[in-house]
């Protein structure tokens, strides 16, 4: 076959017609891979790749894979030393007869050549971050889970539903609606109700409707009762120290 396998131009650039197989390739300049690819969406295979990292280890081992490292020199006080600053690893997420894969990102914040896991994307496309997520806004099409804390860096934590701000929790621990006299606690008097409420202070209300029994262990103080019959059915009034219930007019 008379086809060219390698072409070297006047600038000493080498162009290979086939695959380069090497134990190690070192370059002091830029390595460029040129390929015409029509892939725009959908599944990706190695045939679509401009760069394919193949781990040829034949072992049924979980978490094995291929690694890209990002290195440069740090100054040790008197000389420079090469160190690994960050890395990307991708490989096997489930052993056995599967193609399950994962992708991990590593960064270094301690000693030389010791990047630790910063972000992991598993086979189910779940993302696990080792640090804090800083974002202007996070949009989720499903639920958001937290092991314990949701934290607002401002003075208020606001909860929204249907695009409307519903509830506020401020830095003093007060919980209140975003609009005065517009929301209910509980759904109705017969469905989706809260069971018990415990308060150490006062309960202030414009009106109070009790459908069941009222058990009161302390004093009941009702100031400003009328001192004559208001002639309003059910209205309490004070007849010179005697509590009475009006029968109406």
């Amino acid at each position: 076959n008379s086809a060219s396998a390698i072409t070297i131009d006047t600038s000493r650039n080498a162009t290979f017609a086939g695959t380069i197989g090497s134990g190690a390739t070192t370059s002091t300049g830029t390595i460029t891979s040129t390929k015409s690819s029509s892939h725009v969406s959908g599944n990706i295979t190695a045939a679509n790749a401009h760069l394919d990292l193949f781990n040829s280890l034949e072992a049924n081992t979980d978490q094995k894979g291929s690694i890209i490292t990002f290195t440069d020199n740090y100054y040790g006080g008197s000389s420079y030393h090469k160190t690994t600053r960050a890395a990307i690893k991708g490989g096997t997420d489930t052993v056995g007869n599967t193609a399950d894969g994962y992708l991990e990102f590593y960064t270094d914040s301690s000693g030389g050549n010791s990047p630790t896991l910063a972000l992991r994307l598993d086979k189910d496309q779940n993302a696990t971050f080792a640090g804090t997520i800083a974002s202007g806004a996070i949009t989720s099409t499903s639920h958001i889970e937290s092991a314990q804390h949701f934290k607002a860096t401002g003075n208020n934590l606001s909860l929204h539903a249907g695009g409307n701000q519903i509830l506020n929790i401020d830095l003093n621990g007060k919980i209140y609606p975003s609009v005065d006299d517009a929301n209910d606690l509980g759904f109705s008097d017969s469905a989706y109700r809260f069971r018990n409420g415990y308060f150490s202070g006062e309960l202030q209300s414009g009106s109070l409707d009790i459908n069941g029994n009222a058990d009161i262990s302390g004093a009941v103080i009702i100031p400003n009762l009328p001192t004559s019959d208001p002639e309003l059915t059910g209205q309490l009034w004070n007849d010179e120290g005697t509590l009475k219930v009006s029968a109406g007019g």
Side-chain angles (χ1 to χ4, degrees):
N1 192 335
S2 60
S4 297
I6 179 173
T7 302
I8 302 176
D9 63 20
T10 57
S11 299
R12 300 180 182 179
N13 297 316
T15 302
F16 293 84
T19 301
I20 301 175
S22 174
T25 301
T26 302
S27 173
T28 57
T30 302
I31 299 177
T32 302
S33 173
T34 302
K35 173 185 177 180
S36 177
S37 176
S38 60
H39 182 275
V40 292
S41 64
N43 294 337
I44 291 178
T45 68
N48 303 122
H50 286 68
L51 176 64
D52 176 33
L53 302 182
F54 174 51
N55 184 347
S56 60
L57 175 66
E58 294 185 351
N60 191 29
T61 305
D62 193 18
Q63 306 302 304
K64 73 176 185 293
S66 299
I67 300 173
I68 302 174
T69 58
F70 301 86
T71 61
D72 66 5
N73 293 317
Y74 72 89
Y75 184 61
S78 59
S79 60
Y80 288 90
H81 308 274
K82 180 180 178 181
T83 188
T84 303
R85 304 286 190 182
I88 300 174
K89 180 182 178 183
T92 301
D93 202 20
T94 307
V95 297
N97 186 23
T98 75
D100 295 344
Y102 70 90
L103 190 63
E104 294 177 339
F105 295 82
Y106 293 74
T107 58
D108 198 337
S109 62
S110 55
N113 295 307
S114 58
T116 56
L117 183 62
L119 167 62
R120 189 178 197 276
L121 304 174
D122 67 15
K123 63 182 179 61
D124 296 316
Q125 300 180 347
N126 297 314
T128 303
F129 293 84
T132 301
I133 302 174
S135 174
I138 298 176
T139 301
S140 173
T141 57
S142 184
H143 58 277
I144 298 176
E145 295 183 5
S146 171
Q148 183 173 0
H149 296 288
F150 283 97
K151 180 180 179 181
T153 57
N155 291 335
N156 291 281
L157 175 64
S158 299
L159 302 180
H160 296 241
N164 299 317
Q165 182 176 339
I166 304 299
L167 192 67
N168 296 299
I169 305 174
D170 69 15
L171 53 77
N172 297 310
K174 292 184 176 182
I175 303 174
Y176 52 90
S178 59
V179 179
D180 183 46
D181 195 23
N183 303 105
D184 299 324
L185 187 62
F187 185 77
S188 71
D189 62 0
S190 60
Y192 302 109
R193 300 164 293 177
F194 288 94
R195 186 174 56 184
N196 298 318
Y198 300 94
F199 302 90
S200 60
E202 296 180 353
L203 177 61
Q204 300 184 14
S205 174
S207 63
L208 181 63
D209 296 329
I210 301 175
N211 295 325
N213 297 326
D215 296 327
I216 302 173
S217 59
V220 178
I221 300 174
I222 308 176
N224 303 319
L225 284 176
T227 56
S228 60
D229 189 347
E231 297 183 352
L232 180 64
T233 302
Q235 169 73 53
L236 299 176
W237 63 285
N238 182 5
D239 184 8
E240 297 182 353
T242 301
L243 183 66
K244 292 185 176 182
V245 180
S246 176

mmCIF file of all heavy atoms in Angstrom, residues 128-177:
data_model
loop_
_atom_site.group_PDB
_atom_site.id
_atom_site.type_symbol
_atom_site.label_atom_id
_atom_site.label_comp_id
_atom_site.label_asym_id
_atom_site.label_seq_id
_atom_site.Cartn_x
_atom_site.Cartn_y
_atom_site.Cartn_z
ATOM 1 N N THR A 128 -23.041 14.454 43.688
ATOM 2 C CA THR A 128 -22.706 14.586 45.098
ATOM 3 C C THR A 128 -21.524 15.532 45.240
ATOM 4 O O THR A 128 -20.445 15.259 44.708
ATOM 5 C CB THR A 128 -22.360 13.230 45.720
ATOM 6 O OG1 THR A 128 -23.465 12.329 45.541
ATOM 7 C CG2 THR A 128 -22.076 13.368 47.204
ATOM 8 N N PHE A 129 -21.735 16.646 45.919
ATOM 9 C CA PHE A 129 -20.680 17.638 46.118
ATOM 10 C C PHE A 129 -20.069 17.472 47.504
ATOM 11 O O PHE A 129 -20.794 17.275 48.487
ATOM 12 C CB PHE A 129 -21.243 19.054 45.991
ATOM 13 C CG PHE A 129 -21.709 19.410 44.607
ATOM 14 C CD1 PHE A 129 -22.970 19.056 44.172
ATOM 15 C CD2 PHE A 129 -20.881 20.095 43.741
ATOM 16 C CE1 PHE A 129 -23.417 19.388 42.899
ATOM 17 C CE2 PHE A 129 -21.313 20.423 42.463
ATOM 18 C CZ PHE A 129 -22.579 20.073 42.039
ATOM 19 N N ALA A 130 -18.759 17.595 47.592
ATOM 20 C CA ALA A 130 -18.094 17.500 48.885
ATOM 21 C C ALA A 130 -18.127 18.825 49.634
ATOM 22 O O ALA A 130 -18.051 18.860 50.849
ATOM 23 C CB ALA A 130 -16.639 17.050 48.701
ATOM 24 N N GLY A 131 -18.263 19.924 48.908
ATOM 25 C CA GLY A 131 -18.264 21.243 49.527
ATOM 26 C C GLY A 131 -19.606 21.936 49.397
ATOM 27 O O GLY A 131 -20.644 21.308 49.207
ATOM 28 N N THR A 132 -19.583 23.243 49.489
ATOM 29 C CA THR A 132 -20.783 24.074 49.421
ATOM 30 C C THR A 132 -21.094 24.444 47.985
ATOM 31 O O THR A 132 -20.195 24.729 47.197
ATOM 32 C CB THR A 132 -20.581 25.357 50.245
ATOM 33 O OG1 THR A 132 -20.299 25.002 51.605
ATOM 34 C CG2 THR A 132 -21.815 26.243 50.216
ATOM 35 N N ILE A 133 -22.384 24.444 47.637
ATOM 36 C CA ILE A 133 -22.819 24.869 46.311
ATOM 37 C C ILE A 133 -23.187 26.341 46.395
ATOM 38 O O ILE A 133 -24.085 26.730 47.136
ATOM 39 C CB ILE A 133 -24.035 24.053 45.833
ATOM 40 C CG1 ILE A 133 -23.705 22.565 45.806
ATOM 41 C CG2 ILE A 133 -24.489 24.518 44.465
ATOM 42 C CD1 ILE A 133 -24.899 21.689 45.488
ATOM 43 N N ALA A 134 -22.497 27.183 45.660
ATOM 44 C CA ALA A 134 -22.802 28.612 45.594
ATOM 45 C C ALA A 134 -23.435 28.897 44.241
ATOM 46 O O ALA A 134 -22.836 28.644 43.200
ATOM 47 C CB ALA A 134 -21.538 29.446 45.792
ATOM 48 N N SER A 135 -24.660 29.425 44.263
ATOM 49 C CA SER A 135 -25.386 29.614 43.015
ATOM 50 C C SER A 135 -26.375 30.752 43.156
ATOM 51 O O SER A 135 -26.919 30.988 44.235
ATOM 52 C CB SER A 135 -26.122 28.330 42.632
ATOM 53 O OG SER A 135 -26.940 28.535 41.507
ATOM 54 N N GLY A 136 -26.606 31.460 42.072
ATOM 55 C CA GLY A 136 -27.630 32.490 42.074
ATOM 56 C C GLY A 136 -29.006 31.889 42.247
ATOM 57 O O GLY A 136 -29.847 32.403 42.978
ATOM 58 N N ALA A 137 -29.270 30.774 41.599
ATOM 59 C CA ALA A 137 -30.551 30.085 41.716
ATOM 60 C C ALA A 137 -30.344 28.624 41.342
ATOM 61 O O ALA A 137 -29.537 28.309 40.474
ATOM 62 C CB ALA A 137 -31.603 30.724 40.817
ATOM 63 N N ILE A 138 -31.064 27.745 42.005
ATOM 64 C CA ILE A 138 -31.033 26.325 41.699
ATOM 65 C C ILE A 138 -32.453 25.888 41.365
ATOM 66 O O ILE A 138 -33.364 26.087 42.165
ATOM 67 C CB ILE A 138 -30.491 25.496 42.878
ATOM 68 C CG1 ILE A 138 -29.047 25.900 43.200
ATOM 69 C CG2 ILE A 138 -30.573 24.006 42.579
ATOM 70 C CD1 ILE A 138 -28.477 25.194 44.404
ATOM 71 N N THR A 139 -32.638 25.328 40.193
ATOM 72 C CA THR A 139 -33.952 24.868 39.756
ATOM 73 C C THR A 139 -33.951 23.352 39.688
ATOM 74 O O THR A 139 -33.067 22.751 39.087
ATOM 75 C CB THR A 139 -34.308 25.452 38.374
ATOM 76 O OG1 THR A 139 -34.293 26.879 38.449
ATOM 77 C CG2 THR A 139 -35.691 24.993 37.939
ATOM 78 N N SER A 140 -34.947 22.734 40.310
ATOM 79 C CA SER A 140 -35.056 21.281 40.324
ATOM 80 C C SER A 140 -36.424 20.863 39.815
ATOM 81 O O SER A 140 -37.438 21.468 40.170
ATOM 82 C CB SER A 140 -34.852 20.747 41.746
ATOM 83 O OG SER A 140 -35.106 19.357 41.806
ATOM 84 N N THR A 141 -36.455 19.833 38.975
ATOM 85 C CA THR A 141 -37.726 19.290 38.493
ATOM 86 C C THR A 141 -38.257 18.201 39.413
ATOM 87 O O THR A 141 -39.341 17.691 39.197
ATOM 88 C CB THR A 141 -37.558 18.714 37.073
ATOM 89 O OG1 THR A 141 -36.534 17.710 37.089
ATOM 90 C CG2 THR A 141 -37.155 19.817 36.092
ATOM 91 N N SER A 142 -37.485 17.864 40.444
ATOM 92 C CA SER A 142 -37.916 16.878 41.431
ATOM 93 C C SER A 142 -37.711 17.476 42.811
ATOM 94 O O SER A 142 -37.665 18.696 42.961
ATOM 95 C CB SER A 142 -37.123 15.583 41.255
ATOM 96 O OG SER A 142 -37.585 14.584 42.149
ATOM 97 N N HIS A 143 -37.598 16.645 43.850
ATOM 98 C CA HIS A 143 -37.436 17.148 45.205
ATOM 99 C C HIS A 143 -35.963 17.406 45.512
ATOM 100 O O HIS A 143 -35.072 16.868 44.864
ATOM 101 C CB HIS A 143 -38.022 16.160 46.220
ATOM 102 C CG HIS A 143 -37.401 14.800 46.155
ATOM 103 N ND1 HIS A 143 -37.784 13.837 45.265
ATOM 104 C CD2 HIS A 143 -36.399 14.241 46.877
ATOM 105 C CE1 HIS A 143 -37.074 12.747 45.436
ATOM 106 N NE2 HIS A 143 -36.221 12.971 46.404
ATOM 107 N N ILE A 144 -35.723 18.253 46.510
ATOM 108 C CA ILE A 144 -34.373 18.555 46.978
ATOM 109 C C ILE A 144 -34.246 18.008 48.396
ATOM 110 O O ILE A 144 -35.062 18.323 49.263
ATOM 111 C CB ILE A 144 -34.095 20.066 46.960
ATOM 112 C CG1 ILE A 144 -34.191 20.603 45.527
ATOM 113 C CG2 ILE A 144 -32.726 20.371 47.558
ATOM 114 C CD1 ILE A 144 -34.014 22.101 45.427
ATOM 115 N N GLU A 145 -33.233 17.164 48.623
ATOM 116 C CA GLU A 145 -33.036 16.543 49.932
ATOM 117 C C GLU A 145 -31.812 17.135 50.623
ATOM 118 O O GLU A 145 -30.823 17.464 49.986
ATOM 119 C CB GLU A 145 -32.845 15.036 49.787
ATOM 120 C CG GLU A 145 -34.071 14.303 49.254
ATOM 121 C CD GLU A 145 -33.859 12.805 49.193
ATOM 122 O OE1 GLU A 145 -32.793 12.337 49.658
ATOM 123 O OE2 GLU A 145 -34.747 12.091 48.690
ATOM 124 N N SER A 146 -31.908 17.257 51.942
ATOM 125 C CA SER A 146 -30.787 17.714 52.752
ATOM 126 C C SER A 146 -30.668 16.825 53.970
ATOM 127 O O SER A 146 -31.686 16.400 54.542
ATOM 128 C CB SER A 146 -30.998 19.171 53.191
ATOM 129 O OG SER A 146 -30.027 19.563 54.141
ATOM 130 N N ALA A 147 -29.439 16.531 54.378
ATOM 131 C CA ALA A 147 -29.241 15.712 55.572
ATOM 132 C C ALA A 147 -29.755 16.428 56.815
ATOM 133 O O ALA A 147 -30.287 15.797 57.735
ATOM 134 C CB ALA A 147 -27.760 15.380 55.741
ATOM 135 N N GLN A 148 -29.651 17.761 56.842
ATOM 136 C CA GLN A 148 -30.139 18.468 58.029
ATOM 137 C C GLN A 148 -30.480 19.932 57.749
ATOM 138 O O GLN A 148 -31.605 20.364 57.983
ATOM 139 C CB GLN A 148 -29.106 18.403 59.156
ATOM 140 C CG GLN A 148 -29.588 19.058 60.466
ATOM 141 C CD GLN A 148 -28.628 18.834 61.605
ATOM 142 O OE1 GLN A 148 -27.587 18.192 61.441
ATOM 143 N NE2 GLN A 148 -28.945 19.348 62.771
ATOM 144 N N HIS A 149 -29.566 20.718 57.220
ATOM 145 C CA HIS A 149 -29.720 22.162 57.253
ATOM 146 C C HIS A 149 -30.089 22.768 55.899
ATOM 147 O O HIS A 149 -29.554 22.390 54.859
ATOM 148 C CB HIS A 149 -28.418 22.817 57.723
ATOM 149 C CG HIS A 149 -28.045 22.473 59.132
ATOM 150 N ND1 HIS A 149 -28.715 22.963 60.218
ATOM 151 C CD2 HIS A 149 -27.083 21.664 59.623
ATOM 152 C CE1 HIS A 149 -28.177 22.492 61.332
ATOM 153 N NE2 HIS A 149 -27.181 21.694 60.991
ATOM 154 N N PHE A 150 -31.019 23.736 55.943
ATOM 155 C CA PHE A 150 -31.214 24.689 54.862
ATOM 156 C C PHE A 150 -30.886 26.062 55.449
ATOM 157 O O PHE A 150 -31.475 26.462 56.462
ATOM 158 C CB PHE A 150 -32.661 24.664 54.348
ATOM 159 C CG PHE A 150 -32.951 23.488 53.456
ATOM 160 C CD1 PHE A 150 -33.542 22.344 53.960
ATOM 161 C CD2 PHE A 150 -32.620 23.531 52.109
ATOM 162 C CE1 PHE A 150 -33.801 21.259 53.145
ATOM 163 C CE2 PHE A 150 -32.873 22.453 51.283
ATOM 164 C CZ PHE A 150 -33.464 21.312 51.798
ATOM 165 N N LYS A 151 -29.976 26.771 54.822
ATOM 166 C CA LYS A 151 -29.459 27.996 55.427
ATOM 167 C C LYS A 151 -29.636 29.177 54.487
ATOM 168 O O LYS A 151 -29.322 29.113 53.308
ATOM 169 C CB LYS A 151 -27.970 27.815 55.760
ATOM 170 C CG LYS A 151 -27.330 29.034 56.403
ATOM 171 C CD LYS A 151 -25.859 28.770 56.706
ATOM 172 C CE LYS A 151 -25.196 29.979 57.335
ATOM 173 N NZ LYS A 151 -23.764 29.725 57.606
ATOM 174 N N ALA A 152 -30.153 30.281 55.048
ATOM 175 C CA ALA A 152 -30.249 31.537 54.305
ATOM 176 C C ALA A 152 -29.161 32.475 54.797
ATOM 177 O O ALA A 152 -29.016 32.679 56.003
ATOM 178 C CB ALA A 152 -31.620 32.169 54.504
ATOM 179 N N THR A 153 -28.375 33.035 53.894
ATOM 180 C CA THR A 153 -27.305 33.946 54.283
ATOM 181 C C THR A 153 -27.833 35.348 54.565
ATOM 182 O O THR A 153 -27.152 36.159 55.178
ATOM 183 C CB THR A 153 -26.227 34.022 53.190
ATOM 184 O OG1 THR A 153 -26.845 34.428 51.949
ATOM 185 C CG2 THR A 153 -25.573 32.663 52.986
ATOM 186 N N GLY A 154 -29.060 35.646 54.137
ATOM 187 C CA GLY A 154 -29.681 36.927 54.430
ATOM 188 C C GLY A 154 -30.444 36.885 55.742
ATOM 189 O O GLY A 154 -30.304 35.960 56.554
ATOM 190 N N ASN A 155 -31.283 37.895 55.983
ATOM 191 C CA ASN A 155 -32.014 37.989 57.245
ATOM 192 C C ASN A 155 -33.267 37.122 57.277
ATOM 193 O O ASN A 155 -33.852 36.938 58.347
ATOM 194 C CB ASN A 155 -32.408 39.449 57.512
ATOM 195 C CG ASN A 155 -31.197 40.318 57.813
ATOM 196 O OD1 ASN A 155 -30.170 39.830 58.258
ATOM 197 N ND2 ASN A 155 -31.315 41.602 57.548
ATOM 198 N N ASN A 156 -33.724 36.643 56.123
ATOM 199 C CA ASN A 156 -34.960 35.870 56.062
ATOM 200 C C ASN A 156 -34.793 34.643 55.179
ATOM 201 O O ASN A 156 -34.091 34.678 54.169
ATOM 202 C CB ASN A 156 -36.105 36.725 55.503
ATOM 203 C CG ASN A 156 -36.529 37.819 56.449
ATOM 204 O OD1 ASN A 156 -37.253 37.590 57.398
ATOM 205 N ND2 ASN A 156 -36.059 39.037 56.178
ATOM 206 N N LEU A 157 -35.482 33.563 55.598
ATOM 207 C CA LEU A 157 -35.625 32.383 54.765
ATOM 208 C C LEU A 157 -37.067 32.364 54.283
ATOM 209 O O LEU A 157 -37.999 32.379 55.089
ATOM 210 C CB LEU A 157 -35.312 31.113 55.557
ATOM 211 C CG LEU A 157 -35.545 29.778 54.840
ATOM 212 C CD1 LEU A 157 -34.606 29.651 53.645
ATOM 213 C CD2 LEU A 157 -35.346 28.610 55.798
ATOM 214 N N SER A 158 -37.273 32.374 52.972
ATOM 215 C CA SER A 158 -38.614 32.442 52.403
ATOM 216 C C SER A 158 -38.946 31.138 51.694
ATOM 217 O O SER A 158 -38.107 30.569 50.996
ATOM 218 C CB SER A 158 -38.716 33.611 51.408
ATOM 219 O OG SER A 158 -38.475 34.841 52.052
ATOM 220 N N LEU A 159 -40.182 30.677 51.861
ATOM 221 C CA LEU A 159 -40.676 29.480 51.196
ATOM 222 C C LEU A 159 -41.747 29.889 50.188
ATOM 223 O O LEU A 159 -42.643 30.677 50.505
ATOM 224 C CB LEU A 159 -41.249 28.489 52.211
ATOM 225 C CG LEU A 159 -40.292 28.020 53.315
ATOM 226 C CD1 LEU A 159 -41.001 27.039 54.240
ATOM 227 C CD2 LEU A 159 -39.048 27.391 52.728
ATOM 228 N N HIS A 160 -41.634 29.329 48.982
ATOM 229 C CA HIS A 160 -42.539 29.676 47.899
ATOM 230 C C HIS A 160 -43.311 28.446 47.436
ATOM 231 O O HIS A 160 -42.848 27.315 47.564
ATOM 232 C CB HIS A 160 -41.754 30.239 46.704
ATOM 233 C CG HIS A 160 -41.053 31.530 46.989
ATOM 234 N ND1 HIS A 160 -41.321 32.689 46.304
ATOM 235 C CD2 HIS A 160 -40.094 31.856 47.882
ATOM 236 C CE1 HIS A 160 -40.566 33.676 46.758
ATOM 237 N NE2 HIS A 160 -39.802 33.184 47.718
ATOM 238 N N ALA A 161 -44.489 28.668 46.872
ATOM 239 C CA ALA A 161 -45.287 27.605 46.265
ATOM 240 C C ALA A 161 -46.055 28.206 45.092
ATOM 241 O O ALA A 161 -46.667 29.272 45.224
ATOM 242 C CB ALA A 161 -46.252 26.992 47.276
ATOM 243 N N GLY A 162 -45.985 27.524 43.939
ATOM 244 C CA GLY A 162 -46.697 28.015 42.769
ATOM 245 C C GLY A 162 -46.250 29.384 42.312
ATOM 246 O O GLY A 162 -47.038 30.144 41.743
ATOM 247 N N GLY A 163 -44.985 29.721 42.574
ATOM 248 C CA GLY A 163 -44.479 31.025 42.169
ATOM 249 C C GLY A 163 -44.773 32.132 43.162
ATOM 250 O O GLY A 163 -44.367 33.278 42.949
ATOM 251 N N ASN A 164 -45.492 31.831 44.248
ATOM 252 C CA ASN A 164 -45.851 32.845 45.244
ATOM 253 C C ASN A 164 -45.071 32.639 46.533
ATOM 254 O O ASN A 164 -44.904 31.515 46.996
ATOM 255 C CB ASN A 164 -47.352 32.782 45.548
ATOM 256 C CG ASN A 164 -48.205 33.055 44.335
ATOM 257 O OD1 ASN A 164 -47.926 33.955 43.550
ATOM 258 N ND2 ASN A 164 -49.262 32.266 44.157
ATOM 259 N N GLN A 165 -44.616 33.735 47.113
ATOM 260 C CA GLN A 165 -43.955 33.659 48.406
ATOM 261 C C GLN A 165 -45.019 33.466 49.480
ATOM 262 O O GLN A 165 -45.956 34.262 49.602
ATOM 263 C CB GLN A 165 -43.160 34.941 48.673
ATOM 264 C CG GLN A 165 -42.394 34.922 49.983
ATOM 265 C CD GLN A 165 -41.550 36.170 50.168
ATOM 266 O OE1 GLN A 165 -41.222 36.849 49.207
ATOM 267 N NE2 GLN A 165 -41.212 36.469 51.402
ATOM 268 N N ILE A 166 -44.895 32.395 50.268
ATOM 269 C CA ILE A 166 -45.931 32.030 51.227
ATOM 270 C C ILE A 166 -45.507 32.271 52.675
ATOM 271 O O ILE A 166 -46.252 32.826 53.471
ATOM 272 C CB ILE A 166 -46.329 30.548 51.063
ATOM 273 C CG1 ILE A 166 -46.779 30.269 49.622
ATOM 274 C CG2 ILE A 166 -47.429 30.178 52.045
ATOM 275 C CD1 ILE A 166 -47.987 31.056 49.178
ATOM 276 N N LEU A 167 -44.289 31.860 53.026
ATOM 277 C CA LEU A 167 -43.891 31.835 54.433
ATOM 278 C C LEU A 167 -42.504 32.425 54.615
ATOM 279 O O LEU A 167 -41.628 32.259 53.756
ATOM 280 C CB LEU A 167 -43.906 30.382 54.935
ATOM 281 C CG LEU A 167 -43.786 30.151 56.439
ATOM 282 C CD1 LEU A 167 -45.031 30.670 57.148
ATOM 283 C CD2 LEU A 167 -43.601 28.666 56.723
ATOM 284 N N ASN A 168 -42.296 33.119 55.730
ATOM 285 C CA ASN A 168 -41.004 33.699 56.071
ATOM 286 C C ASN A 168 -40.548 33.223 57.442
ATOM 287 O O ASN A 168 -41.367 33.068 58.353
ATOM 288 C CB ASN A 168 -41.086 35.233 56.095
ATOM 289 C CG ASN A 168 -41.405 35.814 54.751
ATOM 290 O OD1 ASN A 168 -40.663 35.638 53.795
ATOM 291 N ND2 ASN A 168 -42.525 36.507 54.656
ATOM 292 N N ILE A 169 -39.255 32.996 57.579
ATOM 293 C CA ILE A 169 -38.622 32.742 58.867
ATOM 294 C C ILE A 169 -37.486 33.733 58.993
ATOM 295 O O ILE A 169 -36.564 33.738 58.171
ATOM 296 C CB ILE A 169 -38.090 31.303 58.979
ATOM 297 C CG1 ILE A 169 -39.189 30.290 58.692
ATOM 298 C CG2 ILE A 169 -37.475 31.057 60.354
ATOM 299 C CD1 ILE A 169 -38.703 28.855 58.641
ATOM 300 N N ASP A 170 -37.534 34.631 59.999
ATOM 301 C CA ASP A 170 -36.500 35.652 60.090
ATOM 302 C C ASP A 170 -35.417 35.257 61.089
ATOM 303 O O ASP A 170 -35.487 34.218 61.746
ATOM 304 C CB ASP A 170 -37.105 37.027 60.400
ATOM 305 C CG ASP A 170 -37.674 37.136 61.812
ATOM 306 O OD1 ASP A 170 -37.372 36.276 62.663
ATOM 307 O OD2 ASP A 170 -38.436 38.093 62.061
ATOM 308 N N LEU A 171 -34.388 36.107 61.211
ATOM 309 C CA LEU A 171 -33.233 35.779 62.049
ATOM 310 C C LEU A 171 -33.558 35.786 63.535
ATOM 311 O O LEU A 171 -32.765 35.331 64.353
ATOM 312 C CB LEU A 171 -32.067 36.719 61.737
ATOM 313 C CG LEU A 171 -32.311 38.234 61.781
ATOM 314 C CD1 LEU A 171 -32.373 38.779 63.163
ATOM 315 C CD2 LEU A 171 -31.217 38.940 60.981
ATOM 316 N N ASN A 172 -34.734 36.312 63.909
ATOM 317 C CA ASN A 172 -35.155 36.284 65.306
ATOM 318 C C ASN A 172 -35.986 35.051 65.639
ATOM 319 O O ASN A 172 -36.489 34.917 66.757
ATOM 320 C CB ASN A 172 -35.969 37.545 65.630
ATOM 321 C CG ASN A 172 -35.147 38.811 65.484
ATOM 322 O OD1 ASN A 172 -34.040 38.901 66.014
ATOM 323 N ND2 ASN A 172 -35.675 39.784 64.758
ATOM 324 N N GLY A 173 -36.162 34.159 64.640
ATOM 325 C CA GLY A 173 -36.921 32.939 64.866
ATOM 326 C C GLY A 173 -38.418 33.107 64.679
ATOM 327 O O GLY A 173 -39.188 32.193 64.994
ATOM 328 N N LYS A 174 -38.853 34.249 64.175
ATOM 329 C CA LYS A 174 -40.280 34.456 63.956
ATOM 330 C C LYS A 174 -40.699 33.828 62.635
ATOM 331 O O LYS A 174 -40.018 33.966 61.623
ATOM 332 C CB LYS A 174 -40.606 35.948 63.939
ATOM 333 C CG LYS A 174 -40.431 36.628 65.295
ATOM 334 C CD LYS A 174 -40.865 38.084 65.244
ATOM 335 C CE LYS A 174 -40.769 38.726 66.619
ATOM 336 N NZ LYS A 174 -41.226 40.139 66.591
ATOM 337 N N ILE A 175 -41.839 33.129 62.670
ATOM 338 C CA ILE A 175 -42.393 32.491 61.477
ATOM 339 C C ILE A 175 -43.709 33.190 61.153
ATOM 340 O O ILE A 175 -44.613 33.247 62.000
ATOM 341 C CB ILE A 175 -42.632 30.985 61.716
ATOM 342 C CG1 ILE A 175 -41.319 30.309 62.136
ATOM 343 C CG2 ILE A 175 -43.207 30.328 60.475
ATOM 344 C CD1 ILE A 175 -41.496 28.856 62.538
ATOM 345 N N TYR A 176 -43.831 33.711 59.938
ATOM 346 C CA TYR A 176 -45.021 34.486 59.609
ATOM 347 C C TYR A 176 -45.277 34.444 58.108
ATOM 348 O O TYR A 176 -44.368 34.194 57.317
ATOM 349 C CB TYR A 176 -44.864 35.936 60.083
ATOM 350 C CG TYR A 176 -43.589 36.609 59.627
ATOM 351 C CD1 TYR A 176 -43.524 37.309 58.426
ATOM 352 C CD2 TYR A 176 -42.440 36.526 60.408
ATOM 353 C CE1 TYR A 176 -42.355 37.921 58.021
ATOM 354 C CE2 TYR A 176 -41.265 37.131 60.005
ATOM 355 C CZ TYR A 176 -41.233 37.840 58.807
ATOM 356 O OH TYR A 176 -40.064 38.425 58.395
ATOM 357 N N PRO A 177 -46.544 34.696 57.696
ATOM 358 C CA PRO A 177 -46.864 34.686 56.259
ATOM 359 C C PRO A 177 -46.309 35.925 55.570
ATOM 360 O O PRO A 177 -46.014 36.939 56.211
ATOM 361 C CB PRO A 177 -48.395 34.675 56.244
ATOM 362 C CG PRO A 177 -48.789 35.326 57.531
ATOM 363 C CD PRO A 177 -47.746 34.924 58.526
#
